[in-house]
Amino acid sequence: MNDFLHKLPTFVGNHLALSALFVIILLALVAMEFGRLLRKYKELTPGGLTLLINRETPLLVDLSARADFEKMHVPGARHVLPSQFDPEHKDLAKARDLPVVVMDKDGRGSDKAAQRLVKAGFTRVYTLGGGVLAWQQAQLPLAKGNK
């Protein structure tokens, strides 16, 4: 270890661009993890969602495209088009104190919806990491059709 610390300044001096890139990537990773810790909603794994479903009765909101939802969705999920997702809607506002899990096909679009729910006063907001595809890959049961 002592030898490594003595050679480090020489390495950094000889490989300035590589060292700068390493520092930039390291700072970006730290910033992303710090942001993840500070956000007001949590990301669930398929196993974590299963535990939540078994312990409580969360509201499951699927923002996938209609065709994707009809092909496969988490049992009990309600389909809402992203363009029609409104946290202030009277039906959704009734669930303000319930756990609400937002998901979509691949997990990429649910963060914005979760942020909107938190901004609207929802206190127990979750997303399904990896979306319905992660649920499928975990070989958990899927539902098909409109409901």
Side-chain angles (χ1 to χ4, degrees), residues 71-90:
K71 271 189 227 173
M72 64 178 184
H73 58 271
V74 175
R78 296 175 185 246
H79 183 252
V80 178
L81 291 172
S83 61
Q84 296 175 344
F85 180 72
D86 180 14
E88 300 295 333
H89 191 273
K90 63 180 178 179

Side-chain angles (χ1 to χ4, degrees), residues 9-123:
T10 306
F11 178 83
V12 171
N14 291 336
H15 305 283
L16 197 55
L18 183 62
S19 300
L21 183 61
F22 173 75
V23 169
I24 290 169
I25 291 172
L26 183 64
L27 289 174
L29 286 172
V30 168
M32 284 175 42
E33 287 303 313
F34 190 66
R36 183 175 288 177
L37 288 173
L38 291 180
R39 67 184 182 195
K40 306 261 187 209
Y41 62 92
K42 293 183 172 50
E43 182 177 291
L44 295 173
T45 62
L49 177 55
T50 301
L51 284 174
L52 183 65
I53 291 170
N54 288 336
R55 292 181 179 162
E56 301 185 51
T57 307
L59 174 61
L60 306 175
V61 179
D62 192 325
L63 300 173
S64 302
R66 186 176 309 277
D68 292 332
F69 180 81
E70 289 177 1
K71 271 189 227 173
M72 64 178 184
H73 58 271
V74 175
R78 296 175 185 246
H79 183 252
V80 178
L81 291 172
S83 61
Q84 296 175 344
F85 180 72
D86 180 14
E88 300 295 333
H89 191 273
K90 63 180 178 179
D91 291 337
L92 191 54
K94 293 176 188 175
R96 200 170 296 261
D97 296 325
L98 292 175
V100 179
V101 182
V102 184
M103 66 191 79
D104 60 4
K105 180 180 178 180
D106 55 16
R108 289 191 254 171
S110 54
D111 285 340
K112 290 179 185 176
Q115 290 170 354
R116 289 180 62 194
L117 285 168
V118 168
K119 191 173 180 179
F122 288 77
T123 56

